[in-house]
């Protein structure tokens, strides 16, 4: 039986004001790092970024654009690096997203790798590789780093949905041979019928961050409070949220039912993560939670 205790907690982000922020001191590695998280979307068709950092002029962002494509961008007038997938991500289920960056790679398109659910993305509508040995803006010392939003000259674009097991490991990468995707995802085998990637335990991912030390972190069991589950003490500040209010047992290893509703044009149901449906009274529909 699949282990439902691998990831015990997630946090709900409301898409309006909820995020986690932290400013790091010196020592951030801007040329080589891994960022990964489990994310579950609850809104589509708008900018929805789950990792971001920088200020009004130097920006790093990783998330979904208004066309529901996965996008990674590093901007410092002009754009230093940009990747937009051809694929569009419109499912309401959990995605595991990971980027591994090592700008010292001699081959330009090896410098940034993006994985979704364990599979490397190789088809992009836009692919702008960073220059050799470029310092990515995620690692800017003293600037604000965010989970659940990103920073741009026109404000913040907040993520609406669930996030858990958000991990950052500096100075290491898949390209450098420090990890493989299997360090972040386990494999579940269906007898002779193949296999698929499944979550690894919170403690396993937290241990990767602990071993890296420095600015590495892993936010999972109390992500709503911004608590770093690694031994590095890199706690984030929760803004407009807390684990008591936003924490959830809805995780990639214990998935809640999701209601996918069809309704007449004159009915106005609402849905929070696909778990609550409230329809206009007198329309012959029900409210289910």
């Amino acid at each position: 039986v699949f282990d439902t205790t691998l990831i015990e907690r997630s946090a709900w982000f409301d898409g309006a004001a909820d995020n986690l922020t932290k400013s790091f001191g010196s020592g951030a590695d801007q040329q080589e790092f891994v960022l990964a998280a489990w994310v579950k979307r609850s809104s589509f068709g708008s900018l929805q970024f789950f990792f971001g950092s920088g200020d009004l002029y130097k920006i790093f962002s990783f998330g979904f654009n208004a066309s529901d494509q996965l996008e990674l961008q590093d901007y410092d007038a002009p754009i230093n690096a940009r990747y937009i997938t051809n694929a569009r991500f419109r499912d309401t289920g959990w995605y595991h997203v990971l980027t591994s960056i090592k700008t010292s790679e001699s081959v330009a398109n090896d410098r940034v790798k993006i994985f979704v659910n364990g599979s490397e993305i190789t088809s992009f509508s836009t692919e702008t590789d960073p220059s050799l040995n470029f310092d990515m803006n995620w690692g800017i010392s003293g600037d604000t780093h965010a989970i659940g939003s990103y920073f741009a000259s026109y404000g913040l674009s907040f993520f609406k949905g669930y996030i858990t097991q958000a991990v950052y490991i500096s100075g290491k990468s898949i390209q450098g041979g420090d990890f493989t995707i299997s360090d972040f995802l386990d494999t579940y085998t269906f007898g002779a019928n193949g296999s698929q990637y499944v979550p690894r335990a919170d403690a396993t991912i937290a241990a990767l961050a602990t071993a890296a030390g420095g600015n590495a972190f892993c936010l999972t069991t109390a992500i709503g409070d911004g608590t770093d589950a690694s031994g590095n003490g890199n706690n984030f500040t929760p803004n407009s949220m807390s684990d008591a209010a936003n924490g959830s047992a809805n995780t990639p290893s214990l998935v809640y039912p999701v209601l996918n509703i069809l309704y007449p044009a004159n009915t106005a149901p609402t849905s929070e993560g696909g778990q609550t449906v409230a329809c206009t009274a007198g329309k012959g529909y029900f409210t289910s939670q």
Side-chain angles (χ1 to χ4, degrees):
V1 176
F2 183 73
D3 187 350
T4 60
T5 67
L6 293 172
I7 301 178
E8 296 186 3
R9 300 279 289 173
S10 69
W12 162 257
F13 292 74
D14 67 0
D18 294 347
N19 71 351
L20 304 165
T21 55
K22 179 177 177 58
S23 295
F24 289 95
S26 61
D29 195 313
Q30 296 175 246
Q31 295 187 10
E32 185 178 18
F33 57 88
V34 173
L35 278 171
W38 282 96
V39 300
K40 182 179 181 181
R41 307 193 69 188
S42 297
S43 180
F44 304 88
S46 63
L47 294 173
Q48 301 260 323
F49 289 90
F50 35 83
F51 286 116
S53 72
D55 53 26
L56 295 181
Y57 308 103
K58 295 183 177 182
I59 303 162
F60 177 94
S61 58
F62 187 31
F64 300 105
N65 65 21
S67 297
D68 300 319
Q69 297 156 294
L70 192 60
E71 179 173 340
L72 185 150
Q73 178 174 272
D74 195 283
Y75 177 82
D76 188 6
I79 292 172
N80 306 307
R82 192 179 193 191
Y83 300 83
I84 301 176
T85 64
N86 280 310
R88 300 174 190 269
F89 298 87
R90 297 173 174 143
D91 290 335
T92 55
W94 285 94
Y95 292 111
H96 184 268
V97 292
L98 180 148
T99 182
S100 177
I101 294 173
K102 189 172 186 285
T103 63
S104 63
E105 289 291 305
S106 57
V107 178
N109 62 10
D110 285 342
R111 293 170 193 161
V112 175
K113 291 184 177 292
I114 297 173
F115 297 80
V116 177
N117 294 341
S119 297
E120 184 177 357
I121 301 294
T122 57
S123 177
F124 297 96
S125 62
T126 297
E127 183 175 357
T128 304
D129 301 312
S131 59
L132 185 65
N133 297 322
F134 178 74
D135 288 337
M136 303 289 283
N137 286 319
W138 170 260
I140 296 176
S141 299
D143 282 339
T144 302
H145 294 62
I147 297 171
S149 70
Y150 98 112
F151 294 77
S153 58
Y154 50 84
L156 296 165
S157 296
F158 290 93
F159 180 80
K160 187 172 184 179
Y162 297 87
I163 300 176
T164 191
Q165 219 173 72
V167 61
Y168 164 59
I169 300 177
S170 56
K172 297 179 182 294
S173 64
I174 289 175
Q175 296 93 315
D178 304 294
F179 305 114
T180 68
I181 194 67
S182 295
D183 289 305
F184 297 90
L185 295 171
D186 204 352
T187 302
Y188 190 89
T189 302
F190 299 91
N193 298 312
S195 63
Q196 70 177 50
Y197 284 115
V198 295
R200 282 200 177 276
D202 288 336
T204 300
I205 304 302
L208 296 179
T210 301
N215 291 324
F217 62 77
C218 179
L219 307 187
T220 180
T221 50
I223 183 174
D225 287 336
T227 303
D228 181 11
S230 80
N232 300 325
N234 290 317
N235 298 326
F236 278 63
T237 299
N239 301 293
S240 186
M241 63 185 299
S242 68
D243 199 59
N246 298 70
S248 174
N250 178 13
T251 76
S253 58
L254 184 60
V255 180
Y256 285 14
V258 174
L259 302 172
N260 189 5
I261 50 176
L262 301 175
Y263 57 93
N266 63 347
T267 306
T270 60
S271 175
E272 180 177 309
Q275 295 176 49
T276 302
V277 179
C279 299
T280 304
K283 299 297 183 182
Y285 293 89
F286 61 90
T287 299
S288 175
Q289 182 167 345

